[in-house]
Amino acid sequence: MSTLEIKDLQVSVSTDDGPKEILKGVTLTIKDNETHAIMGPNGSGKSTLAYSIAGHPKYDITGGTVTLDGEDVLAMSVDERARAGLFLAMQYPVEVPGVSVANFLRTAKTAIDGEAPKLRTWVKDVNAAMGQLNLDPTFSQRNVNEGFSGGEKKRHEIAQLELLNPKVAILDETDSGLDIDALKIVSEGVNRYREQEGKGVLLITHYTRILRYIEPDYVHVFVDGKIADQGGPELADALEAEGYDRYIKANATPA
Amino acid sequence: MTVTDAARESVTSGLEQDKKDGHLSVSHLNPPPSYDLADHPAPTGREEIWRFTPLKRLRGILDGEASDATLTWDTTLPDGVTLTTISQAEAREIGELAPNDRPSALAAELSGGARLIDVPAEAEIAEPIVIRLHGESVDDLVWSQLVLRVGKFATATVVLVHTGSARYSATTSVLVGDGAMVNVVSLQDWDDDAVHLGRDSILVGRDAEVKHTAITFGGDVVRLNANVEYAAPGGSAELLGLYFADEGQHLEHRLFADHNQPKTKSNVLYKGALQGEKAHTVWIGNVLIRKVAEGIETYEENRNLVLTDGCQADSVPNLEIETGEIEGAGHASATARFDDEQLFYLRSRGVSEKEARRLVLRGFFNDLIRRVGVPSLEEQLTTTVEEELARNVLKTDQ
Ligand SMILES: Nc1ncnc2c1ncn2[C@@H]1O[C@H](COP(=O)(O)OP(=O)(O)O)[C@@H](O)[C@H]1O
Ligand SMILES: [Mg+2]
């Protein structure tokens, strides 16, 4: 069982001109076995939502709550959130020079499980995950995200999703910059993950393309730091046809 | 925190000097070599080569008192390698490299004789030659003179390990025969109060390959020079360094690659970490490309990772170029703190802050440790780096 509950979340970042409000009250609940898509134009605050849930220090939470199965996520440190079962596939994965993928994955798995994985099964699991995501076997020896192509970075994020197997996965534009083959491979990985019992997915995307491969249960339209509309998968089709203009215009109309 | 990253190029000042003197026979960055102590007067601290060094903390070494104290020597000499004691005159005769600063000039004057390690021509010594040097007390003033001679086409690895304490001033010459391959590692694992002034000068034979690594963890003040020059064209030198300065330590590494022959190479990488109040590191990378040195390649890089407030990392690459006919010359110098984005990424995968810092630090030194090329040292170095980190950064859990 896993429920991620976001209530009236307000977030700002500090800028040279003082704090800038980015999220203006976001409410969203992701229950067991649900996939929610968040779609919105660039700059609407999608990554801010993802990072705020993961606990990135750049974002100040000025109001609202986030709970995972009733536990206060906002009171947890970044690593506690991950150990509680949250996972963020990042839009821009970070290079960690000198740290091999193999070492990184083993360290993360050990941290999440609270004990080192059994060597034999672990090596098999890693090789299987790499293989399914079409990552070369030598990939494990490379340094984390260093010199990876855009596609490799995203596939590596999904390999981590499968190996760490969290309760709730937040995928921040995992589809952007992928060609169609890579998009299919990544989508299959996400689908393998969510086929398991009780997993939640928050799929953030700018385009509807990925929703053909990962069908959402709910679609939320995100504009200017708020959810502007929500519905079922059919809402994605409407967005495909009409784009975000309608919402942006509505948003620009003086209240 | 004060982090000065005094990167500057003195190409222009070098060229101006050039014009003034008509020609530039000696680098203005490094005083000319000389055994005459009058050429190396006691420094005031304003000299280019002394401006970073805390003279008051040298415990009077530069006064040049005579002393016959020694470090204890414990050596592992593989078959075929000899260790003998020779006179100062003999050291000069076999071509040791003359001192180029006051501590090395004093060491050459006051050592009472030099130790000579000889690797005969064409010998392939697989096992490292290990020299463990131990000092009993900082009250002991020790002058030391060492010559490592590696014959033509020979292969050897020499590891010098310094432990304990002393006021230690050493001048070392590494004479590398044509086509030889030599790897020299100097590990400074001193107690907290030691003062070590060292000068390693390397003469690279035709087509020879030399690697020299300085690894400094311990000591109150450690100031090391690694100099390289070439006896003939075609030689290449890799100068590596790893240092970790704690509270109050002054660790200074000075490089001088003198490209005095055509078609020679130098490649420098020094990496350091600093933690604790008044931890101070200095890295000076001097490279001189003389007029004759056509077709050379040089690259030097220094990276520092500042782990806490109150540290200072000085980093000064200097490139003097007298010829336009070079293959490549470059340098890089950077001083940074732990990268918050890297730590966030690791922690977002469940890794604790402590462990994330350990991973990043290990990663920072990883490429360097691998390049040292002494497998038996690799693990020990990684462990030592992590123990150093544990001494400060990791104990302050937030
Ligand atoms: N450090 C910052 N300083 C100022 N503005 C920022 C900062 N970080 C993000 N923003 C702004 O917040 C808004 C939302 O950004 P983001 O969450 O990345 O949007 P999205 O992921 O939807 O493209 C953008 O307008 C962006 O410019
Ligand atoms: Mg974004």
Side-chain angles (χ1 to χ4, degrees):
Chain A
M1 173 215 79
S2 51
T3 302
L4 180 68
E5 202 167 356
I6 304 159
K7 270 195 202 151
D8 195 26
L9 188 66
Q10 295 156 47
V11 174
S12 45
V13 292
S14 56
T15 70
D16 292 343
D17 311 323
K20 178 182 171 192
E21 191 184 29
I22 300 178
L23 298 190
K24 302 168 179 172
V26 178
T27 298
L28 180 65
T29 301
I30 299 161
K31 298 209 192 85
D32 273 2
N33 306 316
E34 288 182 356
T35 296
H36 292 244
I38 290 196
M39 305 193 59
N42 280 333
S44 57
K46 303 183 298 297
S47 289
T48 302
L49 176 64
Y51 277 129
S52 300
I53 298 169
H56 193 292
K58 187 172 103 175
Y59 300 95
D60 299 321
I61 313 295
T62 54
T65 58
V66 179
T67 58
L68 179 64
D69 298 334
E71 298 286 328
D72 183 357
V73 169
L74 299 180
M76 299 178 198
S77 68
V78 176
D79 41 296
E80 282 167 349
R81 295 178 198 208
R83 293 197 296 271
L86 287 173
F87 177 86
L88 169 60
M90 293 189 201
Q91 185 174 1
Y92 304 109
V94 182
E95 291 182 10
V96 192
V99 177
S100 71
V101 167
N103 186 14
F104 165 66
L105 292 175
R106 192 171 5 88
T107 307
K109 184 66 175 172
T110 304
I112 298 273
D113 289 1
E115 59 177 356
K118 298 265 177 303
L119 199 62
R120 292 233 348 240
T121 48
W122 176 244
V123 171
K124 245 170 52 193
D125 290 350
V126 171
N127 288 341
M130 295 295 173
Q132 282 173 321
L133 287 157
N134 208 10
L135 291 165
D136 194 90
T138 61
F139 196 78
S140 292
Q141 299 315 314
R142 293 172 65 183
N143 291 335
V144 173
N145 292 316
E146 215 177 41
F148 289 12
S149 69
E152 283 173 335
K153 283 184 185 168
K154 298 302 178 74
R155 282 182 279 151
H156 177 229
E157 294 291 284
I158 300 308
Q160 293 171 54
L161 168 69
E162 292 203 71
L163 289 165
L164 302 179
N165 202 16
K167 290 180 178 173
V168 177
I170 302 166
L171 311 176
D172 189 4
E173 298 210 24
T174 298
D175 54 330
S176 62
L178 295 184
D179 62 31
I180 193 69
D181 291 332
L183 183 69
K184 280 184 188 161
I185 287 168
V186 159
S187 301
E188 283 163 13
V190 175
N191 286 332
R192 277 192 299 273
Y193 161 76
R194 69 188 191 126
E195 268 162 23
Q196 303 172 95
E197 192 50 38
K199 304 294 184 185
V201 175
L202 183 61
L203 180 73
I204 295 173
T205 180
H206 183 79
Y207 304 103
T208 51
R209 189 177 61 149
I210 194 172
L211 303 183
R212 282 180 230 145
Y213 303 99
I214 305 174
E215 200 183 333
D217 302 298
Y218 302 93
V219 173
H220 310 267
V221 182
F222 209 74
V223 179
D224 192 27
K226 290 191 297 284
I227 291 173
D229 197 1
Q230 46 198 342
E234 73 287 348
L235 185 53
D237 300 330
L239 284 172
E240 171 87 73
E242 298 164 33
Y244 297 111
D245 282 2
R246 180 154 69 92
Y247 298 105
I248 294 168
K249 282 195 195 100
N251 188 60
T253 339
Chain B
M1 181 187 66
T2 2
V3 178
T4 56
D5 195 347
R8 69 198 168 83
E9 272 188 69
S10 57
V11 178
T12 38
S13 60
L15 293 176
E16 270 157 30
Q17 184 93 2
D18 207 357
K19 272 182 251 157
K20 229 185 321 171
D21 299 353
H23 71 107
L24 191 71
S25 56
V26 291
S27 163
H28 75 287
L29 300 169
N30 285 59
S34 159
Y35 284 95
D36 188 351
L37 277 174
D39 292 331
H40 307 288
T44 62
R46 288 187 299 274
E47 298 79 2
E48 179 59 33
I49 65 163
W50 288 104
R51 66 191 179 101
F52 290 103
T53 313
L55 296 175
K56 290 208 176 77
R57 284 163 61 189
L58 300 185
R59 295 180 182 252
I61 295 182
L62 299 183
D63 298 345
E65 264 175 59
S67 166
D68 55 10
T70 54
L71 302 179
T72 53
W73 279 57
D74 171 17
T75 55
T76 304
L77 297 178
D79 284 351
V81 180
T82 57
L83 169 63
T84 50
T85 301
I86 56 175
S87 71
Q88 287 143 307
E90 283 168 315
R92 292 190 201 191
E93 256 162 54
I94 64 172
E96 80 155 354
L97 297 156
N100 59 322
D101 65 2
R102 185 169 175 83
S104 51
L106 287 169
E109 174 92 8
L110 300 168
S111 67
R115 307 272 188 142
L116 170 66
I117 298 219
D118 235 330
V119 177
E122 297 187 30
E124 289 195 21
I125 313 293
E127 195 193 332
I129 301 164
V130 184
I131 305 169
R132 292 176 206 82
L133 302 170
H134 185 80
E136 291 303 329
S137 161
V138 75
D139 296 332
D140 293 343
L141 175 62
V142 181
W143 303 108
S144 161
Q145 191 175 6
L146 177 64
V147 181
L148 304 172
R149 185 168 61 176
V150 180
K152 279 183 190 175
F153 304 112
T155 307
T157 295
V158 183
V159 180
L160 288 132
V161 183
H162 302 90
T163 57
S165 192
R167 287 178 288 157
Y168 185 56
S169 176
T171 178
T172 301
S173 300
V174 183
L175 309 176
V176 181
D178 293 351
M181 289 170 75
V182 181
N183 190 355
V184 179
V185 178
S186 180
L187 174 61
Q188 289 63 244
D189 203 4
W190 296 106
D191 291 346
D192 287 347
D193 58 357
V195 178
H196 180 181
L197 305 178
R199 187 226 60 171
D200 291 359
S201 277
I202 304 164
L203 182 65
V204 185
R206 177 183 295 271
D207 300 330
E209 280 178 37
V210 185
K211 195 184 288 199
H212 178 279
T213 308
I215 301 164
T216 309
F217 294 112
D220 179 47
V221 178
V222 176
R223 181 186 196 267
L224 302 179
N225 290 274
N227 303 333
V228 61
E229 60 188 86
Y230 302 82
S236 77
E238 193 173 358
L239 303 176
L240 305 175
L242 187 167
Y243 46 89
F244 204 129
D246 292 319
E247 192 172 348
Q249 277 187 302
H250 176 93
L251 306 182
E252 180 169 346
H253 295 89
R254 312 180 63 89
L255 290 304
F256 180 38
D258 185 349
H259 284 277
N260 56 340
Q261 293 284 344
K263 302 274 181 203
T264 51
K265 285 185 193 166
S266 64
N267 195 329
V268 177
L269 177 63
Y270 270 65
K271 285 190 168 187
L274 298 86
Q275 65 181 2
E277 205 54 42
K278 298 216 156 55
H280 188 194
T281 64
V282 178
W283 177 84
I284 309 291
N286 291 335
V287 176
L288 171 62
I289 304 168
R290 295 182 189 264
K291 265 205 184 74
V292 295
E294 293 189 355
I296 69 103
E297 277 175 61
T298 175
Y299 183 73
E300 50 168 354
E301 180 173 345
N302 174 229
R303 298 207 177 271
N304 294 294
L305 192 56
V306 175
L307 306 179
T308 66
D309 289 344
C311 311
Q312 184 172 337
D314 290 302
S315 180
V316 188
N318 284 305
L319 199 51
E320 282 182 85
I321 306 176
E322 296 176 9
T323 173
E325 304 296 317
I326 51 180
E327 281 297 314
H331 64 71
S333 158
T335 297
R337 294 183 144 258
F338 268 127
D339 183 318
D340 285 341
E341 295 299 327
Q342 286 176 14
L343 293 178
F344 173 73
Y345 187 75
L346 295 170
R347 293 182 67 197
S348 78
R349 271 50 176 154
V351 178
S352 71
E353 176 158 23
K354 255 190 195 184
E355 186 69 23
R357 284 173 185 265
R358 202 177 355 236
L359 270 179
V360 170
L361 185 78
R362 191 196 255 256
F364 175 73
F365 283 122
N366 196 26
D367 57 336
L368 188 102
I369 289 175
R370 286 202 190 151
R371 267 172 71 179
V372 174
V374 183
S376 56
L377 263 183
E378 274 185 29
E379 198 167 330
Q380 189 198 327
L381 289 177
T382 303
T383 310
T384 309
V385 162
E386 291 182 2
E387 282 168 1
E388 287 281 339
L389 183 70
R391 278 167 71 162
N392 195 319
V393 173
L394 296 180
K395 80 179 179 215
T396 52
D397 266 15
Q398 20 77 299

